[in-house]
Amino acid sequence: MEDVKEVILSVLRTAVKAMLAVLVVVVIYRGALIGYEVGYRVFSEQPVSTGEGTDITVTISEGMDSGEIADLLEEEGVIHSALIFRLQNRLSSYKKTMKAGTYTLNTSMTNDEIMEALSEGSDGE
């Protein structure tokens, strides 16, 4: 009877280890997919619209950080994703150069073009 219990416990331990190994592989795989998607979008994010696009006026207040600016731009429909905009800004030469002001941005602008416009100052100042 003791031998049967040991065999059952051994089988259960092996099954649990196998399930944990599968779970680890699934988590790593999902993380890799998400990481790839985010990385791809950081370097290839497309404008909200093609062609003429739509002009949208936004006001950047004094003291807004890049996260708040990204959130505003996403709310106004100028960009697809505040997260991607923040990541692109951190990796760009426009980091910490965006200025307060009122801007007319277009939905056909890329995130890089938007960062450039916000760094030049409102109305090209």
Side-chain angles (χ1 to χ4, degrees), residues 51-122:
E52 296 286 323
T54 303
D55 285 341
I56 298 175
T57 302
V58 296
T59 300
I60 307 301
S61 303
E62 195 68 43
M64 287 179 83
D65 63 26
S66 62
E68 293 168 322
I69 294 169
D71 291 339
L72 173 66
L73 295 174
E74 183 179 37
E75 287 170 18
E76 295 295 328
V78 179
I79 61 173
H80 288 290
S81 168
L83 172 64
I84 298 299
F85 187 88
R86 277 189 218 106
L87 291 171
Q88 287 177 327
N89 184 257
R90 277 201 186 116
L91 297 171
S92 75
S93 60
Y94 302 112
K95 183 179 178 182
K96 298 184 180 186
T97 64
M98 294 185 285
K99 300 174 183 168
T102 300
Y103 299 87
T104 301
L105 304 172
N106 192 287
T107 57
S108 67
M109 295 172 77
T110 64
N111 287 359
D112 196 54
E113 292 170 331
I114 293 168
M115 285 184 271
E116 181 180 1
L118 297 179
S119 294
E120 290 175 352
S122 60

Side-chain angles (χ1 to χ4, degrees), residues 15-42:
V16 168
K17 287 178 184 177
M19 288 183 348
L20 286 174
V22 168
L23 181 63
V24 166
V25 168
V26 168
V27 168
I28 290 171
Y29 177 75
R30 291 289 297 154
L33 285 178
I34 291 168
Y36 174 80
E37 181 183 344
V38 169
Y40 180 80
R41 288 185 61 197
V42 164

